[in-house]
């Protein structure tokens, strides 16, 4: 059998994670998610703080929030598939407690990435004009909503949407997601500047 040239093998290895580093796909997916999270927050806070109700700016900001949020659902699905197909790089040396906290933090971030788009979609009373190129009907106008919520649970759309909205906007959106993301970014900076280990390097320029 023909052997692949050495450089082809090395490049291929870098696409996937290794014991020491995240590969390029995991890195791109990670930083894309971070950028999309930033976009979803900027769009929704811009809408609240800088636009008047019933203006086209207000509507555009909302639609950007919905479109970016739905994109996160797609990216996180790809990310999870890629993660189960790959090994995860070993954590840098630390105490058992630190390693436990790192794993717990990463799983909690995955949970946020899944639950935020779902609660957003389920609780939203408007259709999504996905980046103004395609319409995605709101959950309330789907057959599934009728079967599950109206006939199945026997409650009104408001009774279904209000608690989900509260979880999306308040419990997770305004608090838990921020705590997790800031704690996570803070931990990465702590590793880089205080412990001076390779944690941040692994998710950025590390090869
Ligand atoms: C990871 C993705 C998402 C994040 C981080 C996120 C975050 C937030 C936050 C923080 C708020 C509350 C703003 C406030 O009231 O102070 C909010 C509101 C909202 N979100 Fe999301 N969201 C995401 C995805 C989605 C999705 C996929 C949809 C629907 C398709 C959606 C629909 C909404 C709606 C309708 C509001 C209310 C808008 C407003 O009050 O201006 N979100 N979101
Ligand atoms: C400025 C912001 C951010 C920085 C500096 C950062 C940095 C890092 C670093 C250095 C790692 C590797 C950790 C290790 O191997 O020990 C990592 C992993 C991870 N990050 Fe971030 N991150 C940021 C934003 C985010 C955001 C917004 C999310 C999701 C909402 C996120 C989710 C994750 C997850 C789930 C992992 C674990 C990946 C895995 O093993 O599958 N990060 N991040």
């Amino acid at each position: 059998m023909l052997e692949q040239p050495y450089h082809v093998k090395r490049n291929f290895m870098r696409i996937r994670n290794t014991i020491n580093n995240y590969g390029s796909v995991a890195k791109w997916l990670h930083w894309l998610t971070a950028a999309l999270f930033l976009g979803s927050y900027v769009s929704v806070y811009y809408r609240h703080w800088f636009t008047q109700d019933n203006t086209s700016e207000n509507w555009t900001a909302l639609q950007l929030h919905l479109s970016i949020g739905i994109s996160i659902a797609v990216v996180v699905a790809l990310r999870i598939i890629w993660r189960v197909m790959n090994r995860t790089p070993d954590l840098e040396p630390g105490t058992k407690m630190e390693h436990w906290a790192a794993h717990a933090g990463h799983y909690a971030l995955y949970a946020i990435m899944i639950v935020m788009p779902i609660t957003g979609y389920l609780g939203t009373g408007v259709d999504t004009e996905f980046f103004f190129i395609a319409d995605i009907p709101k959950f309330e106008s789907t057959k599934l909503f009728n079967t599950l919520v109206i006939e199945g649970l026997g409650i009104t759309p408001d009774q279904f949407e209000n608690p989900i909205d509260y979880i999306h906007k308040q419990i997770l959106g305004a608090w838990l997601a921020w705590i997790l993301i800031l704690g996570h970014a803070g931990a990465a900076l702590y590793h880089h500047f205080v412990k001076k280990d390779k944690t941040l390097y692994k998710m950025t320029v590390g090869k």
Side-chain angles (χ1 to χ4, degrees):
M1 201 174 71
L2 269 178
E3 271 286 307
Q4 268 188 330
Y6 180 61
H7 69 277
V8 173
K9 257 191 196 166
R10 274 181 63 213
N11 282 343
F12 178 70
M13 291 299 283
R14 286 197 213 124
I15 290 173
R16 300 176 70 89
N17 298 345
T18 64
I19 189 166
N20 294 318
N21 275 302
Y22 286 96
S24 52
V25 174
K27 284 178 190 166
W28 275 105
L29 289 171
H30 174 270
W31 293 110
L32 180 61
T33 320
L36 289 171
F37 257 78
L38 182 68
S40 77
Y41 272 112
V42 169
S43 53
V44 85
Y45 289 144
Y46 179 83
R47 174 175 199 251
H48 273 243
W49 296 335
F50 299 109
T51 68
Q52 307 288 328
D53 284 351
N54 302 319
T55 57
S56 68
E57 245 192 331
N58 181 283
W59 181 250
T60 304
L62 175 65
Q63 285 302 332
L64 280 178
H65 178 73
L66 310 188
S67 304
I68 294 171
I70 289 175
S71 310
I72 292 177
V74 177
V75 174
V76 76
L78 296 175
R79 207 171 155 180
I80 290 170
I81 294 171
W82 190 248
R83 193 183 204 269
V84 294
M85 286 170 56
N86 266 264
R87 65 152 302 131
T88 312
D90 284 350
L91 294 174
E92 292 296 295
T95 63
K96 261 195 176 165
M97 184 65 192
E98 281 170 339
H99 283 184
W100 181 88
H103 287 303
H106 291 166
Y107 282 117
L109 284 165
Y110 275 113
I112 283 285
M113 288 188 273
I114 297 167
V115 176
M116 283 308 286
I118 293 177
T119 50
Y121 178 71
L122 295 183
T124 299
V126 294
D127 292 350
T128 300
E129 296 169 9
F130 191 73
F131 293 110
F132 307 103
I133 47 174
D135 272 4
I136 302 174
K138 57 180 187 260
F139 183 51
E140 204 184 305
S141 38
T142 62
K143 277 192 184 143
L144 191 63
F145 181 86
N146 215 36
T147 318
L148 283 182
V149 179
I150 306 294
E151 291 161 11
L153 298 172
I155 55 176
T156 64
D158 275 355
Q159 283 173 324
F160 176 75
E161 282 164 15
N162 290 347
I164 291 182
D165 243 20
Y166 185 70
I167 295 172
H168 182 79
K169 293 188 196 170
Q170 295 300 321
I171 300 178
L172 300 183
W175 289 103
L176 199 58
W178 272 120
I179 292 170
L180 286 171
I181 292 169
L182 293 179
H184 172 70
L189 296 179
Y190 170 76
H191 276 278
H192 193 70
F193 291 110
V194 181
K195 288 187 85 178
K196 298 189 193 306
D197 65 20
K198 288 194 165 165
T199 302
L200 189 56
Y201 177 81
K202 282 194 277 192
M203 196 43 113
T204 50
V205 292
K207 290 191 180 121

